[in-house]
Amino acid sequence: MKERVIEEAEKMFRKHGVRTITMDDIARRLGISKKTIYQHFTDKDDLVYQVTLHNMTREANDYDCIIQTASNPIQEMLKASEMMKLHLADTNPNLVQDIQKYHPKAWAVIRQFEQQHVVEAIADNIRTGTEQGLYYSNVDPETMARLRLETVHAAFNDAIFPRNRLTIEAIQQQLMEHFIRGLLTEKGFLVYHEYINHKEYERN
């Protein structure tokens, strides 16, 4: 039952944001009493925390799969971008801001995951790409990794990127393309375009 609540709550949070969804809404969706939910979660804040833990674990596993299957660092980074695009396609833009503003415990989980997993994964990607001659060698991997992370956050900030112009997915796509193209050597550009052209061929 706890897993069912977490899975359904995550779907509802993704679609509507966290702030607008109540424990009553989740109970009605599952056809159970609110009392049953409180047998597993102390309050809504605890539920948001547990959902966030569940989500971060899944994202870490998904990224590990990408690392294991990607042929090179460029493909790895582009596949990670594609995975993010899929996740964002059914995610309410208010979700991240809701958690940041109203659920500090869950937000701390996200920030810890980003610092310990995301930043290090991107930095490792850049180190490997540099060793293979795909990225310029005059960049600091950790600095660039933190820059990449901050651009991901910036895309959710309506004051920076008004949502009446582009979708979150489109903004993230452009930011990612700008980021990776800034790292590429001539050799890297060849690998990059080979992957892009292959994806275009698959779509056609």
Side-chain angles (χ1 to χ4, degrees), residues 72-75 77-78 129 133-137 139 177-193 196:
N72 56 69
I74 295 173
Q75 188 180 107
M77 197 173 288
L78 291 173
L134 301 173
Y135 302 150
Y136 283 112
S137 59
V139 297
E177 290 177 1
H178 176 78
F179 176 79
I180 191 168
R181 288 170 70 90
L183 293 172
L184 298 176
T185 60
E186 289 187 16
K187 178 182 176 181
F189 267 110
L190 293 175
V191 175
Y192 173 83
H193 285 297
I196 296 298

Side-chain angles (χ1 to χ4, degrees), residues 44-61:
K44 182 181 175 181
D45 190 60
D46 183 41
L47 174 57
V48 174
Y49 172 73
Q50 296 289 341
V51 168
T52 302
L53 280 177
H54 179 265
N55 187 41
M56 293 300 98
T57 299
R58 184 180 64 242
E59 287 199 9
N61 291 336

Side-chain angles (χ1 to χ4, degrees), residues 38-184:
Y38 283 121
Q39 290 175 352
H40 302 282
F41 307 95
T42 55
D43 52 23
K44 182 181 175 181
D45 190 60
D46 183 41
L47 174 57
V48 174
Y49 172 73
Q50 296 289 341
V51 168
T52 302
L53 280 177
H54 179 265
N55 187 41
M56 293 300 98
T57 299
R58 184 180 64 242
E59 287 199 9
N61 291 336
D62 288 346
Y63 195 82
D64 287 342
C65 287
I66 290 174
I67 293 174
Q68 293 170 12
T69 58
S71 301
N72 56 69
I74 295 173
Q75 188 180 107
E76 177 188 315
M77 197 173 288
L78 291 173
K79 281 181 173 290
S81 178
E82 291 165 8
M83 181 182 73
M84 180 191 296
K85 188 175 181 180
L86 287 175
H87 287 174
L88 290 174
D90 61 350
T91 300
N92 189 301
N94 294 323
L95 176 62
V96 173
Q97 291 183 345
D98 284 353
I99 295 176
Q100 185 176 6
K101 288 182 180 179
Y102 305 109
H103 300 279
K105 187 178 177 182
W107 180 245
V109 169
I110 294 174
R111 292 301 285 175
Q112 182 179 26
F113 171 79
E114 289 175 340
Q115 298 302 317
Q116 294 183 353
H117 191 89
V118 177
V119 169
E120 190 54 39
I122 297 173
D124 282 344
N125 176 283
I126 295 173
R127 292 185 192 101
T128 303
T130 299
E131 291 169 0
Q132 295 179 9
L134 301 173
Y135 302 150
Y136 283 112
S137 59
N138 62 342
V139 297
D140 177 64
E142 185 169 333
T143 297
M144 298 308 294
R146 293 185 182 281
L147 172 64
R148 173 64 189 137
L149 180 60
E150 291 309 310
T151 59
V152 170
H153 283 298
F156 288 95
N157 190 329
D158 190 43
I160 300 175
F161 298 104
R163 294 174 192 161
N164 60 351
R165 297 192 64 255
L166 293 173
T167 64
I168 293 290
E169 304 98 285
I171 295 169
Q172 293 286 10
Q173 181 69 26
Q174 291 197 24
L175 291 175
M176 166 54 115
E177 290 177 1
H178 176 78
F179 176 79
I180 191 168
R181 288 170 70 90
L183 293 172
L184 298 176

Side-chain angles (χ1 to χ4, degrees), residues 13 34 104 109:
F13 292 158
K34 191 163 62 172
V109 169

